[in-house]
Amino acid sequence: MRRIRWSVVGAGLAALSLVVGLQGAAAGADGPPAPAPHGRLLAFPLAAIEGLVQPESPPAGADDWSCKPTRAHPRPVVLVHGTWANAHDNWGLMAPYLKQLGYCVFAVNYGGTPGNPIKATAHVPVSAGQIADYVDRVLKATGAHQVDLVGHSQGGGLTPRWYLRFAGGTDAAHPQRNKVHSLIGLAPSNHGTTASGLGTLTTKLGLNKPVSAVLGEAYEDQLVGSEVNTTLDKDGDTRPGVDYTVIATKFDEVVTPYTHQFLTAGPKATVRNITIQDVCPRDLSEHIGLAYDANAAQLVRNALDPAHAQPVDCHLSLPVLGG
């Protein structure tokens, strides 16, 4: 009875989220791109509740395993959630938006046990291996040769970059064999964080191991100077043939300083580092809110399809709630 009751609650919340969040019809293949969704201030709180109740359920618009890429959008998009999150609560805005634009959208859960809503806590190389398996599954199902990765926090930086370098995501000698065309990171943990001073404190006190025993190995992995960061960064930030975009907010309170998110382009790779307030000065999104920020969603759209990039229609976006 309790399981049935929770299912009813989850279904009701999902329906309410769709009513609140999905505005406008999808554009036709020959029509203009669908506008970025606005008016979604309830989207993250609702998705967070749903993610607790049904953590293995994909967000709306994701995981249609019968989807076939089109000529306009030849690469599936794989969404990679952040630390202590899951696919459902991280991608309540981005998944349905990209689906409306005509992409095949998939959302991986990684770094956690089935049924546990708190994921992406495992050691980064372990999580990277799980992402590798998921990308292979997407490529097989869709018949595509490459995917585009869109990630948030850990899922936009450290872990997918480990996958690209060490877990088969790219082939440096033959970039045309890369499984990933582009990596788009929202507030990515690329070069380690001080965690607004918490990481600095636990490092100085020698407490990273016991804290990670509680919070997960990904905590220590993402700190400034960690073994994972040092190993990943020693040969440069990028991989040949991959297109990188970083979308950061100067109000980030998790990956600090926010400039640690930016990348430097290496041989045969492109990098675009964007601070969202340089594009939309009224944007108040911080770390969490950036995944529910319609301004950031439009920047993701442009990064996925730069040949048809459009000016961002800036709107006010609020901390945590987005907009």
Side-chain angles (χ1 to χ4, degrees):
M1 179 67 69
R2 181 175 298 175
R3 181 175 299 174
I4 295 174
R5 188 175 299 135
W6 276 120
S7 298
V8 172
V9 171
L13 288 169
L16 179 57
S17 177
L18 289 173
V19 170
V20 172
L22 296 179
Q23 298 181 345
D30 297 324
H38 300 298
R40 295 181 56 87
L41 292 181
L42 289 177
F44 173 68
L46 286 170
I49 295 171
E50 293 169 9
L52 288 173
V53 175
Q54 44 188 15
E56 304 305 322
S57 174
D63 289 9
D64 175 4
W65 292 96
S66 65
C67 185
K68 299 299 180 183
T70 63
R71 181 177 298 179
H73 303 302
R75 294 181 299 276
V77 176
V78 175
L79 303 175
V80 190
H81 63 77
T83 311
W84 306 329
N86 58 62
H88 193 104
D89 61 31
N90 211 144
W91 300 118
L93 180 147
M94 195 68 68
Y97 172 55
L98 294 179
K99 184 68 172 181
Q100 285 181 336
L101 290 176
Y103 289 93
C104 292
V105 181
F106 300 88
V108 60
N109 271 324
Y110 69 95
T113 56
N116 188 341
I118 301 174
K119 301 184 185 296
T121 59
H123 190 32
V124 160
V126 173
S127 292
Q130 294 172 2
I131 292 171
D133 292 342
Y134 189 87
V135 168
D136 286 348
R137 182 184 173 197
V138 169
L139 292 174
K140 182 177 180 180
T142 61
H145 297 293
Q146 291 183 316
V147 302
D148 291 320
L149 301 180
V150 177
H152 180 226
S153 192
Q154 179 192 160
L158 200 62
T159 299
R161 285 179 57 222
W162 191 280
Y163 159 56
L164 293 178
R165 186 178 295 275
F166 299 120
T170 59
D171 185 336
H174 304 93
Q176 70 274 14
R177 299 178 185 172
N178 289 352
K179 296 178 181 179
V180 176
H181 177 272
S182 59
L183 170 59
I184 304 166
L186 298 164
S189 57
N190 276 319
H191 295 303
T193 176
T194 67
S196 290
L198 175 63
T200 304
L201 179 63
T202 57
T203 298
K204 288 185 175 180
L205 295 178
L207 296 176
N208 287 338
K209 294 296 183 185
V211 170
S212 293
V214 176
L215 300 181
E217 289 181 83
Y219 170 79
E220 183 176 9
D221 288 346
Q222 294 177 89
L223 297 180
V224 172
S226 73
E227 183 178 353
V228 166
N229 265 297
T230 303
T231 301
L232 185 59
D233 290 347
K234 67 181 180 181
D235 293 322
D237 292 351
T238 61
R239 299 291 285 168
V242 180
D243 185 14
Y244 296 81
T245 300
V246 171
I247 302 170
T249 169
K250 66 180 181 181
F251 301 124
D252 201 309
E253 76 283 23
V254 176
V255 182
T256 56
Y258 77 92
T259 52
H260 278 203
Q261 300 172 27
F262 296 144
L263 297 171
T264 300
K268 299 181 181 179
T270 61
V271 170
R272 287 179 295 274
N273 293 313
I274 303 169
T275 302
I276 199 162
Q277 285 79 23
D278 291 341
V279 179
C280 298
R282 293 193 303 154
D283 196 303
L284 302 179
S285 290
E286 37 59 75
H287 187 82
I288 295 174
L290 202 60
Y292 280 84
D293 183 339
N295 302 325
Q298 293 177 81
L299 290 172
V300 170
R301 177 194 66 191
N302 288 344
L304 288 171
D305 189 8
H308 299 95
Q310 298 181 5
V312 176
D313 181 20
C314 293
H315 288 256
L316 177 66
S317 188
L318 300 176
V320 180
L321 297 177

